Amino acid sequence: MMHKRILLAESGATKTDWRLCEKGKVVQRFSSIGFNPSSLSQVDLQQAAQNVFSIHSLDFPPTSIHFFGAGLRNSHPRNQMQSMLRGLFPEVEQIWVGDDLQAACLATQRTKGIVAILGTGSNACEFDGGKITRRRGGLGYILGDEGSGVDLGKHLLIKILQGDFTENTERVILDQLQMDRETLRNQLYTEFKPVKWLGSLARTVHAFKHLPEICEMIIQRFGAFIQGTLAPLPHSRKYPVDFVGSIAIHFQEELISTLQKAHIQQGKIISDPIERLVEVLTYDDFTDPLG
């Protein structure tokens, strides 16, 4: 049986994509801030969601809600998200909450293999076509997220503050950021949302990736992601690895080169999974895929 009115959301650390669907077609689309229960209290989560739907009123009430997001692997944050959504939509028939890796697996539509996320954060998993069997990464920007937008921004900052770049490379970056070293350091420790700010520095990394020192740094961080997150998966060199996320898209050349050196097969590279999730979820009697 097809769910005729579905509200679908895919949320990362900085942005949530929303789609309201009827009879398999998107009738309304918008974006909002990211929703992550690990960084927002239940009260803040509820208030932020209320603000979103006061700005973006839905054309009609959904009968089903499917929300995928970062930080939703475990039952407690999933229950928090379900509670928030139930408070906003008390009449909805079904609310299903999953994490970002489940969304990525569904979006790639591969029956068996490995899927990695390289966006603001990073993680990876192996799945057998029915459920996720092994996970790696997803430890957040303090403990991990190698190769992610936040990681690239953090290591750009480290190299500038440590004086690791040549004078010319440092000058063009600081000119682009319109800051000196001291201002750059202070910005990090006074920033209200350091994850978002560090992630935004990935744009500067992309703008100057043609510089040898910046390109080398990108390759090093992708290498750290492969070594720490991908390579320990049991079948990392048996199956192609599919990638989802903005960093994978915008740094394709460097990513593919690093994969080849590590003898890992490149699979699909998808920017945002939301449109593929629409294809998958609006025509199935949705239950709980991928475990």
Side-chain angles (χ1 to χ4, degrees):
M1 177 179 177
M2 181 176 66
H3 295 305
K4 297 183 182 299
R5 293 178 293 168
I6 295 177
L7 178 62
L8 176 62
E10 193 275 321
S11 183
T14 56
K15 180 179 67 117
T16 303
D17 288 318
W18 299 86
R19 299 290 185 271
L20 184 63
C21 306
E22 185 174 33
K23 297 180 180 179
K25 297 185 182 297
V26 175
V27 296
Q28 191 175 358
R29 65 184 69 216
F30 57 91
S31 296
S32 73
I33 63 167
F35 289 89
N36 191 331
S38 64
S39 58
L40 291 172
S41 69
Q42 185 71 35
V43 173
D44 290 339
L45 202 65
Q46 196 80 30
Q47 185 60 57
Q50 288 172 349
N51 291 340
V52 168
F53 288 101
S54 67
I55 297 170
H56 304 281
S57 58
L58 298 182
D59 291 351
F60 48 77
T63 57
S64 178
I65 298 174
H66 307 310
F67 190 103
F68 296 89
L72 294 172
R73 175 181 175 181
N74 298 318
S75 60
H76 178 66
R78 288 192 190 200
N79 291 338
Q80 282 184 286
M81 186 61 67
Q82 281 191 324
S83 176
M84 181 272 285
L85 292 168
R86 180 64 67 187
L88 288 173
F89 303 97
E91 303 301 322
V92 74
E93 295 173 7
Q94 180 190 36
I95 297 176
W96 194 91
V97 175
D99 74 348
D100 53 355
L101 274 175
Q102 290 173 310
C105 290
L106 287 169
T108 59
Q109 300 179 28
R110 192 181 293 279
T111 56
K112 181 183 290 188
I114 295 173
V115 171
I117 293 176
L118 276 180
T120 302
S122 69
N123 52 9
C125 71
E126 188 168 317
F127 68 102
D128 62 8
K131 64 181 180 179
I132 292 173
T133 57
R134 182 86 181 267
R135 295 170 180 260
R136 292 284 301 187
L139 300 180
Y141 77 106
I142 294 176
L143 299 178
D145 279 350
E146 294 87 353
S148 68
V150 169
D151 185 66
L152 292 176
K154 181 169 70 174
H155 280 82
L156 179 74
L157 193 59
I158 289 170
K159 286 184 174 294
I160 291 174
L161 296 179
Q162 294 281 32
D164 290 339
F165 288 137
T166 61
E167 183 179 347
N168 179 64
T169 298
E170 180 178 309
R171 177 178 53 78
V172 296
I173 292 171
L174 291 176
D175 285 349
Q176 171 81 5
L177 296 173
Q178 298 182 330
M179 296 183 190
D180 56 25
R181 278 193 190 180
E182 188 61 25
T183 305
L184 197 59
R185 184 181 186 280
N186 290 339
Q187 177 76 15
L188 174 64
Y189 290 104
T190 58
E191 182 65 35
F192 175 62
K193 294 184 177 181
V195 172
K196 185 174 182 180
W197 183 69
L198 284 171
S200 73
L201 294 178
R203 299 190 191 98
T204 302
V205 176
H206 186 267
F208 295 106
K209 68 176 189 171
H210 61 282
L211 298 178
E213 291 174 280
I214 301 295
C215 183
E216 181 183 358
M217 184 193 77
I218 296 167
I219 295 294
Q220 287 175 345
R221 298 321 302 159
F222 285 162
F225 173 75
I226 290 171
Q227 181 178 1
T229 304
L230 280 185
L233 292 171
H235 299 100
S236 61
R237 289 179 172 83
K238 178 179 179 180
Y239 299 118
V241 180
D242 294 330
F243 287 86
V244 172
S246 58
I247 295 302
I249 284 288
H250 292 301
F251 293 89
Q252 280 190 64
E253 183 179 349
E254 294 78 13
L255 176 60
I256 292 170
S257 172
T258 312
L259 290 169
Q260 288 173 343
K261 290 176 183 177
H263 306 290
I264 291 177
Q265 302 175 65
Q266 168 216 339
K268 304 169 187 174
I269 300 180
I270 300 169
S271 177
D272 296 310
I274 189 70
E275 303 306 338
R276 299 198 181 207
L277 291 176
V278 169
E279 295 175 11
V280 172
L281 301 182
T282 56
Y283 286 100
D284 293 331
D285 187 8
F286 189 78
T287 53
D288 186 351
L290 308 177

